[in-house]
Amino acid sequence: MAIMQIVVMPRVSEGTSVSVYVAEIHKYLKTQKLPHQLHDMGTLVEGKANELWALAKKLHELPFKKGVKRVYTIINIDDRRDKKVSLGDKVK
């Protein structure tokens, strides 16, 4: 299993709030079967690496579908194949 941290940053020119885009991402994540946690600086998702790459692509595209012209996305993936890992394991 792998854990991905993803930060999707719509580059908006009017105002500074991106909450409507974050809400859209959260709404989409709730339709997926992958465990996830939103936090103040991004989102953590647990799954197989190939699932996470596909999800990252989908999440990156969501703001474009809402009319944003520029999106900056940061992805970190920790892919362990020697043992099972889950969200929260490192904190324990």
Side-chain angles (χ1 to χ4, degrees), residues 5 10 26 45 51 59 65-66 76:
Q5 176 171 268
H26 184 59
V45 187
E51 296 172 319
L59 297 179
K65 291 182 178 182
K66 303 274 291 171
N76 296 313

Side-chain angles (χ1 to χ4, degrees), residues 1-89:
M1 284 299 225
I3 297 175
M4 171 177 69
Q5 176 171 268
I6 185 167
V7 180
V8 179
M9 295 182 287
R11 309 302 290 171
V12 295
S13 57
E14 295 179 17
T16 58
S17 178
V18 294
S19 61
V20 68
Y21 307 104
V22 173
E24 187 71 21
I25 288 169
H26 184 59
K27 181 179 170 183
Y28 180 79
L29 281 169
K30 290 194 294 186
T31 69
Q32 304 304 296
K33 297 185 191 277
L34 298 174
H36 63 278
Q37 291 178 346
L38 269 64
H39 57 86
D40 292 346
M41 300 295 291
T43 304
L44 297 171
V45 187
E46 175 186 326
K48 295 179 180 174
N50 62 333
E51 296 172 319
L52 298 178
W53 288 114
L55 179 63
K57 181 178 179 181
K58 180 70 176 180
L59 297 179
H60 177 78
E61 291 295 324
L62 287 175
F64 288 116
K65 291 182 178 182
K66 303 274 291 171
V68 172
K69 303 294 183 206
R70 185 177 182 189
V71 177
Y72 182 74
T73 299
I74 300 169
I75 303 165
N76 296 313
I77 294 181
D78 183 1
D79 188 4
R80 294 257 348 222
R81 299 190 181 177
D82 59 333
K83 69 177 189 174
K84 184 180 182 322
V85 294
S86 296
L87 289 176
D89 283 351

